[in-house]
Amino acid sequence: MIAIPAIDLREGACVQLVGGSYAAEKVRVEDPLEALTQWRRHGFRAFHVVDLDAALGKGSNADAIFQLTAHERGLTFSVGGGVRDSDRVETVLSGGAEFVVVGTRAIEDAGWLADIANRFPGRVVVAADVKGREVVTRGWTAGSHRDIREVLAAFEPLPLGGLLVTAVHKEGQLSGVDLPLMREVASTSRHRLYASGGVTTMEDLRALAAAGAYGAVIGMALYTGRLDASAVAREFAG
């Protein structure tokens, strides 16, 4: 399993939110490149970038994203947040990202998801953001009334690059991961699982690895120093 630092962008800065609430910003690094170079010094090579403003339709951090993906050769970026049309998918993938992460429209429009997955096989990662067991969309603000297992079943035939499953109820709270949820996803889907939400300790990471996760996205615990970044990178940087 690989550990993947999160770089969440808001108003041009790198931030961390508590519990998926845009009103509960706990960490802010004004220059996202500073965050990237900090994690690179520890040895991380894969990064998950989210445009929070685009996710809510409140703006774009496209320039900051390009600065990140163009900064150094040989790094792997997954980029998402507000990717809801095919042109944006193409722009993200041609702009230096290895994977594009699609959430809201992928959940709501199965035909569109199938189209982009087949156009870009192995490079589309679907974000399934989960509160309890319900998949939520539109920057975690709208319920879909669909259980995670139902949503996963629809993805099985597609040539995806993976599933990014975020336990929103654990996000940013440093309270541990939703291990039963991640075990269920890993055991029921053939796709790579990228687990997110609540990673707090090395034991959380080891448990996710044992559960079958391919990657773990880490935010708050790294930015606050709760996790020793060097120790994480030594064991899980890939």
Side-chain angles (χ1 to χ4, degrees), residues 108-128:
E108 297 175 351
D109 187 343
W112 177 76
L113 175 60
D115 176 61
I116 62 166
N118 285 298
R119 282 177 60 195
F120 304 101
R123 299 188 71 189
V124 176
V125 172
V126 175

Side-chain angles (χ1 to χ4, degrees), residues 47-72:
F47 302 91
H48 178 61
V49 180
V50 178
D51 188 335
L52 295 174
D53 295 318
L56 278 187
K58 292 186 173 181
S60 170
N61 292 280
D63 290 345
I65 291 170
F66 183 75
Q67 287 180 342
L68 291 167
T69 58
H71 182 67
E72 180 185 347

Side-chain angles (χ1 to χ4, degrees), residues 32-231:
L33 278 178
E34 181 184 329
L36 175 64
T37 54
Q38 175 184 344
W39 304 135
R40 282 293 296 121
R41 281 195 297 270
H42 289 288
F44 294 100
R45 302 191 60 80
F47 302 91
H48 178 61
V49 180
V50 178
D51 188 335
L52 295 174
D53 295 318
L56 278 187
K58 292 186 173 181
S60 170
N61 292 280
D63 290 345
I65 291 170
F66 183 75
Q67 287 180 342
L68 291 167
T69 58
H71 182 67
E72 180 185 347
R73 286 181 175 272
L75 304 182
T76 300
F77 288 91
S78 55
V79 174
V83 181
R84 294 173 188 150
D85 62 66
S86 301
D87 288 344
R88 182 65 184 146
V89 168
E90 197 157 353
T91 297
V92 167
L93 292 176
S94 64
E98 180 68 23
F99 303 103
V100 62
V101 181
V102 292
T104 295
R105 189 170 177 191
I107 302 298
E108 297 175 351
D109 187 343
W112 177 76
L113 175 60
D115 176 61
I116 62 166
N118 285 298
R119 282 177 60 195
F120 304 101
R123 299 188 71 189
V124 176
V125 172
V126 175
D129 300 334
V130 183
K131 280 186 177 178
R133 291 188 57 86
E134 183 187 19
V135 174
V136 295
T137 59
R138 304 193 177 274
W140 304 340
T141 62
S144 68
H145 307 293
R146 297 173 70 192
D147 183 87
I148 180 63
R149 187 177 283 262
E150 173 195 346
V151 171
L152 291 177
F155 300 151
E156 280 304 286
L158 302 177
L160 300 177
L163 303 173
L164 172 65
V165 178
T166 298
V168 176
H169 48 287
K170 294 285 191 177
E171 183 74 12
Q173 299 191 45
L174 299 176
S175 61
V177 298
D178 187 336
L179 203 55
L181 171 65
M182 300 307 173
R183 282 196 187 111
E184 179 176 352
V185 175
S187 65
T188 58
S189 175
R190 68 183 181 87
H191 297 299
R192 288 177 173 176
L193 166 63
Y194 296 89
S196 176
V199 173
T200 308
T201 65
M202 294 296 286
E203 287 70 30
D204 288 333
L205 289 168
R206 291 169 187 141
L208 288 172
Y214 179 85
V217 177
I218 315 172
M220 191 72 77
L222 284 178
Y223 284 92
T224 60
R226 183 75 171 266
L227 268 174
D228 181 327
S230 293

